[in-house]
Amino acid sequence: MDVQPQRADVLLVGGGVASVRCARTLRRHGFTGSVLIVGDEDHAPYNRPPLSKELLRDDLADELVLAEPERWYGRRAVDLLTGRRVTTIDTDAREAMLDNGGRIAFGQCLLATGAEARALPIEGGAHALLLRTLEDARRLRAAVVAADAGAAVTVIGGGFIGVEVASGLAAVGLRPTIVEMASDLWGGLLGAKLADWGAAHLIDAGVALCRGVAVTRLDEESAWIGDERLPHAFVVAGIGVRPRVELAVDAELEVGDGIVTDADQRTSHPAIWAAGDVARVDGRRVEHWHAARDAGERAARSMLSLPVPPLRVPWVFSEVAGIALDIIGQADTWEEERWMRDASVLAYLDGQQVVQLAIIGSVLSPDTARDLVEAGASVHELEDALQS
Amino acid sequence: MTALEQTASGFVTVARAADIEPGTVRVIEVEGRSLCLGLTEDGEWGAIDNVCTHDGGTLGEGELDDTGVECPRHGARFDLFTGRVLALPAVRPVNAYQTVVEGDEVMVRLGT
């Protein structure tokens, strides 16, 4: 079992990719102090994106999702304490208390406690499988394997998780139905054109869609939409996440929707940084994998007083019925959605300016797309990029 | 890079040893193929196909840590010496190529 140090020069609270990338970046820049990651799951830090995709479709080894291979921790002298939760942080003493009574003094601390899946707040809601952790993914895969070919499955929520899960269920021969409260997929947040595109491909793949309605209760064998009964083999809910801010609240850090940080990932306390799904960085909380990794790296640079590069626009990669979908940017508003390049790139335009892009089937490199959105490129510049 | 030089054993010179830093990978174009050539921190050379089998990311623009090459696009990892998948989202391996150094010349055997 891991040895518990009494002191860590850098304490990384949370066992996800933000913490690992922070540790990795510290070492890459020559930091020689002690680094400790404390995570409350029983696994070494892992990547979550495959949980709703590859791990649902196939039986794959746990090691394939690890954020870093096991021997990396020894090579980089990064201590890892799993299955332990930090319960409180004494910001004056710069000490963290563990759920087993242990204490860890730290010089600098990163809060990367992530987010947890929202439970379904309806009668019988506990019947729904959730999907956030590797254990959740294993339970879902077991339900998939146990179900008869062609069995019906209810998927509550038509966001990224719901769409990916339904896509995977259809790919392995089950019959999923997505129930989404909003009138469009992704809660309508990606606009009607992309939602229509996604709906068409899901339906082609054998996914049924119920939009603009809500599941009102669950029983052992079915979901109910009012008086209408949807029988199923099992039910999955993907209705969003809640940032795990309790430690920060107790420590009296500034918390809004997430732990508030500046663009350099610094919280309101000079020895504490925050990164990943739990952090509201420069006014925005982003729940995606690239953002968590970037944030961990940024926090490390900030801890080392190195220059921190400008924040990049959000990038989420998803899948719809086996087709890659990249969303670049996170615009709150736009005036027009315009399909380009044979309907493989959807430009979200504000006047002539590209404020967000949806890329289907990887026809444009995400790096190029990010550069365009960050530069405030015009639709003509986008056209040029698509032709080159 | 030096001019192409095919030896009797099937090895082709692809780079000068001094052109690459330990612990990094880079893209090498040779005989119509795109390779990811790497030198580990432990001083071992290896080469694999440059294109990620998951979504077409450029492995030679990724990071090398230990023997794993990480795709810069979605984080899939491949072993620099065997091409085996070390991390999702890739599920299919890439080709690996025998790599040797003679003097200052890094040579890769393209036939697999």
Side-chain angles (χ1 to χ4, degrees):
Chain A
M1 195 53 216
D2 304 282
V3 177
Q4 265 182 38
Q6 295 300 298
R7 181 183 163 79
D9 293 315
V10 176
L11 171 64
L12 306 169
V13 182
V17 294
S19 286
V20 171
R21 290 308 277 201
C22 183
R24 179 168 164 142
T25 306
L26 288 169
R27 290 295 185 236
R28 285 210 159 204
H29 288 284
F31 180 72
T32 55
S34 55
V35 177
L36 170 65
I37 298 175
V38 179
D40 60 0
E41 292 187 54
D42 288 329
H43 304 278
Y46 57 89
N47 295 311
R48 296 186 197 277
L51 303 190
S52 50
K53 306 182 185 83
E54 291 80 11
L55 253 57
L56 186 154
R57 298 192 292 254
D58 286 299
D59 291 311
L60 297 167
D62 284 355
E63 66 176 29
L64 291 174
V65 296
L66 292 179
E68 294 291 353
E70 259 175 44
R71 66 185 228 169
W72 177 85
Y73 295 89
R75 278 177 70 91
R76 301 297 176 209
V78 172
D79 291 315
L80 176 62
L81 186 55
T82 56
R84 278 280 160 260
R85 194 164 55 85
V86 172
T87 54
T88 51
I89 290 179
D90 181 334
T91 54
D92 294 332
R94 297 196 182 185
E95 261 192 5
M97 176 83 85
L98 299 177
D99 58 355
N100 66 350
R103 300 177 82 92
I104 297 163
F106 61 81
Q108 294 170 305
C109 175
L110 177 75
L111 295 179
T113 44
E116 61 192 18
R118 287 183 194 276
L120 202 58
I122 59 171
E123 183 187 337
H127 288 298
L129 296 169
L130 302 176
L131 183 51
R132 179 70 191 172
T133 67
L134 189 51
E135 265 68 41
D136 294 338
R138 292 299 179 207
R139 272 192 288 274
L140 177 56
R141 175 66 190 163
V144 166
V145 170
D148 295 332
V153 180
T154 304
V155 178
I156 300 173
F160 288 115
I161 294 293
V163 167
E164 289 177 11
V165 166
S167 297
L169 294 172
V172 297
L174 300 179
R175 244 174 353 99
T177 296
I178 293 178
V179 184
E180 163 61 39
M181 278 203 294
S183 56
D184 281 322
L185 290 175
W186 298 295
L189 295 174
L190 299 179
K193 285 192 174 165
L194 192 72
D196 289 347
W197 168 85
H201 281 275
L202 288 169
I203 290 166
D204 274 354
V207 178
L209 299 178
C210 293
R211 282 159 287 183
V213 294
V215 171
T216 44
R217 70 186 170 93
L218 298 176
D219 62 30
E220 299 252 334
E221 300 165 332
S222 46
W224 294 81
I225 300 172
D227 294 336
E228 186 192 348
R229 176 171 177 262
L230 293 177
H232 56 225
F234 62 91
V235 50
V236 190
I239 57 166
V241 298
R242 192 189 65 79
R244 297 171 67 190
V245 295
E246 292 78 3
L247 267 182
V249 170
D250 287 349
E252 298 183 345
L253 303 182
E254 189 182 348
V255 173
D257 169 37
I259 304 171
V260 173
T261 81
D262 65 11
D264 291 355
Q265 316 289 145
R266 286 175 176 277
T267 70
S268 53
H269 188 281
I272 303 178
W273 284 253
D277 291 1
V278 77
R280 182 177 175 83
V281 184
D282 202 20
R284 169 162 281 167
R285 196 170 64 79
V286 178
E287 292 168 1
H288 304 306
W289 180 82
H290 286 102
R293 283 174 34 124
D294 287 352
E297 294 175 11
R298 300 165 60 77
R301 297 183 65 92
S302 182
M303 287 174 174
L304 297 172
S305 300
L306 293 169
V308 179
L311 269 173
R312 302 219 65 184
V313 294
W315 164 19
V316 54
F317 65 102
S318 187
E319 284 182 15
V320 179
I323 305 166
L325 170 65
D326 290 289
I327 308 292
I328 311 289
Q330 194 171 317
D332 297 321
T333 59
W334 55 84
E335 292 172 355
E336 184 194 346
E337 296 153 24
R338 189 184 300 177
W339 282 115
M340 302 176 70
R341 202 183 182 278
D342 301 326
S344 59
V345 172
L346 183 66
Y348 298 76
L349 302 174
D350 195 5
Q352 290 297 299
Q353 189 189 339
V354 178
V355 294
Q356 182 170 296
L357 285 168
I359 301 159
I360 289 158
S362 307
V363 297
L364 179 67
S365 125
D367 284 334
T368 305
R370 271 180 142 177
D371 289 345
L372 288 164
V373 173
E374 285 168 3
S378 69
V379 68
H380 306 294
E381 289 168 315
L382 173 60
E383 276 167 358
D384 290 346
L386 289 174
Q387 276 165 10
S388 61
Chain B
M1 199 192 303
T2 60
L4 284 184
E5 200 178 305
Q6 183 90 35
T7 69
S9 57
F11 280 93
V12 180
T13 299
V14 297
R16 290 188 183 283
D19 288 348
I20 183 163
E21 293 283 317
T24 66
V25 288
R26 56 176 282 188
V27 177
I28 297 286
E29 305 287 346
V30 58
E31 294 198 348
R33 290 197 220 197
S34 190
L35 303 183
C36 163
L37 177 72
L39 172 61
T40 68
E41 288 174 52
D42 301 332
E44 292 185 85
W45 291 86
I48 55 177
D49 282 335
N50 190 34
V51 179
C52 180
T53 57
H54 168 244
D55 190 44
T58 307
L59 298 177
E61 293 174 1
E63 290 182 11
L64 177 66
D65 202 297
D66 202 351
T67 67
V69 180
E70 185 180 83
C71 178
R73 193 171 287 184
H74 298 114
R77 279 197 307 271
F78 299 90
D79 188 275
L80 179 66
F81 303 113
T82 65
R84 188 168 70 92
V85 172
L86 302 177
L88 299 171
V91 290
R92 284 174 289 123
V94 290
N95 292 311
Y97 303 90
Q98 196 183 345
T99 307
V100 296
V101 178
E102 283 183 12
D104 185 43
E105 297 194 346
V106 184
M107 305 169 85
V108 169
R109 188 177 206 173
L110 289 177
T112 49

